[in-house]
Amino acid sequence: MNAPHSCIIIGAGISGLIAAAHLKRHHVDVLLLDKGRHHGGRMATRTIDKSIFDHGAQFVTTRDPIFREMVEGWMERGIARPWYKGPLGNMRYVGVNGMSTIPRELGQDLNVHLSEKVTKIRFNNGKWTVTARKYGENKDSSYKADCLVITAPVPQALALLQTSNIQIDFDEEEELERITYFRAISVMAQLNGPAGLSNPGAMDLNHPVLRWIGDNSAKSVSPIPGSVSITSSPQFAERYWDASDEERIPLLLNAAKPFLKNDVVDAVAHRWGFTEPKRIYKEKQPFRKTYFLDEEHHLGMCGDGFGGPRIEASAMSGYALAQALTRPM
Ligand SMILES: Cc1cc2nc3c(=O)[nH]c(=O)nc-3n(C[C@H](O)[C@H](O)[C@H](O)COP(=O)(O)OP(=O)(O)OC[C@H]3O[C@@H](n4cnc5c(N)ncnc54)[C@H](O)[C@@H]3O)c2cc1C
């Protein structure tokens, strides 16, 4: 058993990182555990040979003044920069050298254990015990804390709660069970020349097969011209979720062909089981909270299932939960 912490956060995506930073500012001793090899969850950047692809979230937008201030801070630190204005005239910001730069840098100031998957949680005598297994190892680690925050997409959070010995309020559980997500298949394709997409090198698409095409070299993420990220529509993902890459990659590349000037020389696919929530926590309720908090068990949940389907809303959900946790009782 490791030394006890005040709070354990499951997930070092943007909501977990923002929550942790706020808790740390209030002198809370926080440990973040993430099953992924990198910080950031869905803010993901991947290198294949020398090509670099943002293959999850593509950009950050800001509406809330508090979040705008955070993004301005990231720009001052040199980890984010403006990219271009979207169709509604709002600026789209990106991570410098890729979206994952932002969570990776935010994680530097925090106690984060990567490649550690939480498999079981228990609440006894006012304390949480979290069991986790490090990637590639066959023994478990145990961590103790007074408070537990789960930031995994809600269906995964509920699956973890099933391993615990606590029962949350029945109505709350029913509400949480209603939060489901869209899926997507993304393809990272290297062309044998520039993509030829007009400035800024990216397109939101309302297409039966495609949702997004973006040229990572035009975005100054990839040093190789023609490193293209393609994100499928939710309908395509549903239909081809269990198909082989041999079947679905050519279908996606074929749909993307009219938008691209050069030929594909290499392509790799990734399945995203959770892109954005179809419905969020207490969606229809006025003055709803953008997080879940069970004070009896010192259990919180946050992320896009509570805040809304964007990086900003996930980050603000983490921030709001951390504020609630640090508020004097
Ligand atoms: C393809 C795609 C495109 C998108 N495009 C955009 C966009 O352009 N702009 C935008 O604003 N948003 C976009 N989004 C949505 C955005 O990425 C998310 O809303 C946001 O990143 C969610 O952050 P989060 O912290 O709530 O969750 P996540 O980023 O999912 O973080 C949760 C973390 O929990 C970890 N975890 C889960 N279970 C466990 C466990 N048992 N043990 C340990 N760790 C665990 C995961 O590894 C993950 O790192 C996109 C998403 C996808 C997938």
Side-chain angles (χ1 to χ4, degrees), residues 108-123:
Q108 297 315 308
D109 306 331
L110 300 165
N111 183 12
V112 186
H113 291 195
L114 296 173
S115 301
E116 270 195 67
K117 182 174 181 172
V118 174
T119 52
K120 193 171 160 188
I121 55 178
R122 311 286 295 170
F123 185 78

Side-chain angles (χ1 to χ4, degrees), residues 10-16 33-36 38 40-43 55-61 116-119 151-153 156 160 184 186 231 272 274-276 302-304 308-312 314:
I10 302 175
I14 195 68
S15 61
L33 297 169
D34 199 298
K35 65 182 178 177
H38 306 283
R42 284 173 268 168
M43 293 175 76
H55 70 108
Q58 298 293 326
F59 54 80
V60 189
T61 47
E116 270 195 67
K117 182 174 181 172
V118 174
T119 52
T151 73
Q156 292 182 332
L160 266 178
S186 68
T231 310
W272 288 105
F274 306 93
T275 54
E276 55 183 40
C302 60
D304 60 354
R310 286 176 302 120
I311 291 168
E312 171 175 20
S314 309

Side-chain angles (χ1 to χ4, degrees), residues 16-51:
L17 291 166
I18 296 292
H22 185 82
L23 292 173
K24 189 181 167 187
R25 272 195 299 278
H26 284 76
H27 312 290
V28 178
D29 166 31
V30 187
L31 169 67
L32 290 115
L33 297 169
D34 199 298
K35 65 182 178 177
R37 281 191 296 136
H38 306 283
H39 304 84
R42 284 173 268 168
M43 293 175 76
T45 306
R46 183 154 160 196
T47 304
I48 302 173
D49 295 328
K50 289 185 178 141
S51 310

Side-chain angles (χ1 to χ4, degrees), residues 173-224:
E173 191 171 2
E174 258 199 349
E175 176 64 25
L176 292 167
E177 275 165 1
R178 285 192 211 112
I179 304 172
T180 55
Y181 291 69
F182 291 109
R183 303 197 280 197
I185 295 165
S186 68
V187 167
M188 293 154 268
Q190 182 55 55
L191 312 184
N192 59 3
L197 293 166
S198 56
N199 192 38
M203 296 167 84
D204 296 282
L205 295 165
N206 187 7
H207 182 282
V209 176
L210 305 174
R211 175 83 185 265
W212 170 267
I213 296 188
D215 178 357
N216 292 282
S217 35
K219 197 179 181 183
S220 303
V221 167
S222 181
I224 311 293

